[in-house]
């Protein structure tokens, strides 16, 4: 089960976040600064976003990805390894002479993604996503939500790299977070972190639809939040959910800042949540 997103909310969020990104890039003096917590410079982060927008737009349109994408696909045994390898290759292929050119490229790629979403594809239709592994597919709605989550989180990263005030928009995050988490977390279970663990979480993202994650025997499934009793209820702000999910913030930090709350019959499992999953 994947939380189906709202097309209009996703479209508005992507437009809003991509505009902010482009403005921030265009106004910067240089893009050589390292991104805190990542092995990228600001320029490479912009390159990554360009590649994401472009690849996901091609997928939304149902085009053949072989010629443009296959040559730069990474390798690995697990989804995080494949994605990390693909990202590492992609940021070496796309370069920019300066911030102006980077901003222009980002605007062009974001507009391509927006146009692909505006063409009205079925949000539940499956599309090939070879960057997640051989034979992998994701729904159109998931891909659109992923571009928003990437925009929100990397907008935060870019602001930190350029030492400007980060922006975090709850509307944008809420449009994407439940779809991204329900669609992608089951693919990212950490065999070591989830070994021997059995538990259920109801994830309540404020201003968005809730869902349940069942974790057992090293696997996770997303299910509807239908009033069943769960072990732990996680209530998160939308931005908090993305920052915690993308490892930009620890769960206890989100709790301390009021962005997260764990309740239920086993609330202490909230602190285990992030350890159950691996990120690229």
């Amino acid at each position: 089960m994947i939380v189906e997103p709202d097309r209009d909310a996703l479209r508005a969020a992507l437009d809003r976040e991509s505009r902010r990104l482009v403005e921030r890039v265009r106004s910067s003096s240089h893009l050589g600064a390292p991104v805190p917590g990542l092995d990228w410079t600001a320029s490479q982060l912009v390159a990554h976003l360009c590649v994401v927008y472009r690849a996901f737009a091609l997928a939304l349109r149902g085009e053949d990805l072989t010629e443009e994408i296959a040559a730069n696909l990474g390798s690995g045994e697990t989804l995080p390894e494949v994605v990390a390898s693909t990202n590492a290759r992609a940021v070496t292929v796309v370069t920019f002479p300066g911030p102006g050119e980077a901003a222009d490229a980002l605007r062009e790629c974001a507009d391509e993604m927006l146009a692909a979403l505006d063409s009205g594809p079925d949000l539940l239709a499956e599309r090939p996503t070879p960057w997640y592994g051989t034979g992998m597919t994701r729904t159109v709605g998931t891909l659109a939500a992923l571009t928003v989550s990437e925009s929100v989180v990397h907008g935060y990263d870019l602001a930190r790299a350029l030492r400007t005030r980060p922006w975090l928009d709850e509307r944008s995050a809420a449009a994407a977070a439940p779809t991204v988490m329900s669609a992608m977390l089951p693919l990212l279970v950490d065999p070591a972190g989830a070994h021997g663990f059995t538990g259920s979480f109801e994830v309540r993202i404020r201003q968005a639809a809730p869902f349940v994650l069942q974790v057992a025997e090293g696997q996770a499934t997303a299910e509807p939040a239908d009033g069943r009793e769960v072990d732990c209820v996680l209530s998160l702000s939308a931005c908090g959910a993305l920052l915690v999910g993308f490892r930009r913030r620890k769960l206890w930090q989100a709790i301390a800042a009021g962005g997260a709350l764990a309740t239920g019959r086993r609330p202490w499992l909230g602190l285990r949540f992030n350890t159950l999953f691996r990120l690229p």
Side-chain angles (χ1 to χ4, degrees):
M1 168 265 181
I2 297 172
V3 176
E4 185 177 356
D6 179 277
R7 186 191 305 271
D8 292 340
L10 278 181
R11 207 276 179 199
L14 181 57
D15 182 52
R16 182 166 53 243
E17 297 303 319
S18 62
R19 287 180 185 276
R20 287 172 173 165
L21 282 161
V22 170
E23 290 170 3
R24 187 65 57 92
V25 171
R26 196 177 301 282
S27 64
S28 64
S29 59
H30 68 88
L31 296 175
V35 180
L38 300 178
D39 294 327
W40 291 342
T41 64
S43 180
Q44 289 173 319
L45 185 150
V46 175
H48 167 73
L49 283 169
C50 286
V51 169
V52 168
Y53 290 154
R54 171 71 176 160
F56 285 27
L58 288 171
L60 256 65
R61 295 199 298 265
E63 296 187 14
D64 183 3
L65 302 177
T66 304
E67 184 174 345
E68 285 209 36
I69 304 299
N72 293 310
L73 289 179
S75 58
E77 297 297 323
T78 65
L79 185 149
E81 291 171 351
V82 173
V83 172
S85 177
T86 300
N87 287 340
R89 290 189 183 192
V91 297
T92 65
V93 173
V94 181
T95 59
F96 313 105
E101 292 84 358
D104 289 342
L106 189 61
R107 181 70 272 157
E108 180 180 349
C109 293
D111 284 346
E112 185 175 356
M113 180 63 199
L114 286 165
L117 189 56
D118 287 343
S119 68
D122 180 359
L123 294 183
L124 299 180
E126 295 282 340
R127 293 286 191 266
T129 51
W131 51 85
Y132 293 140
T134 303
M136 285 292 298
T137 65
R138 293 288 86 188
T139 67
V140 166
T142 297
L143 293 176
L146 280 163
T147 64
V148 172
S149 67
E150 291 268 335
S151 302
V152 171
V153 174
H154 287 318
Y156 174 81
D157 291 333
L158 183 64
R160 296 178 70 210
L162 299 178
R163 298 187 177 183
T164 57
R165 184 178 179 180
W167 68 83
L168 288 169
D169 192 310
E170 284 292 309
R171 296 168 299 167
S172 298
T179 299
V180 169
M181 293 176 73
S182 62
M184 301 306 293
L185 286 179
L187 303 178
L188 297 171
V189 176
D190 184 348
H195 179 70
F197 180 89
T198 299
S200 55
F201 300 87
E202 182 173 332
V203 182
R204 297 177 182 173
I205 297 172
R206 298 165 199 168
Q207 304 178 40
F211 63 94
V212 169
L213 272 176
Q214 298 276 358
V215 183
E217 298 181 359
Q219 295 186 322
T221 57
E223 301 174 1
D226 54 7
R228 79 188 74 178
E229 188 174 13
V230 296
D231 294 309
C232 181
V233 177
L234 282 176
S235 175
L236 302 127
S237 70
C239 288
L242 290 183
L243 292 179
V244 169
F246 279 81
R247 302 294 197 270
R248 299 315 193 264
R249 185 175 292 170
K250 296 183 184 300
L251 184 58
W252 69 263
Q253 292 174 320
I255 292 173
L261 177 67
T263 59
R265 62 189 180 190
R266 300 169 69 191
W268 57 88
L269 292 185
L271 295 176
R272 284 286 309 273
F273 188 77
N274 258 21
T275 68
L276 302 173
F277 306 98
R278 293 178 61 193
L279 285 183

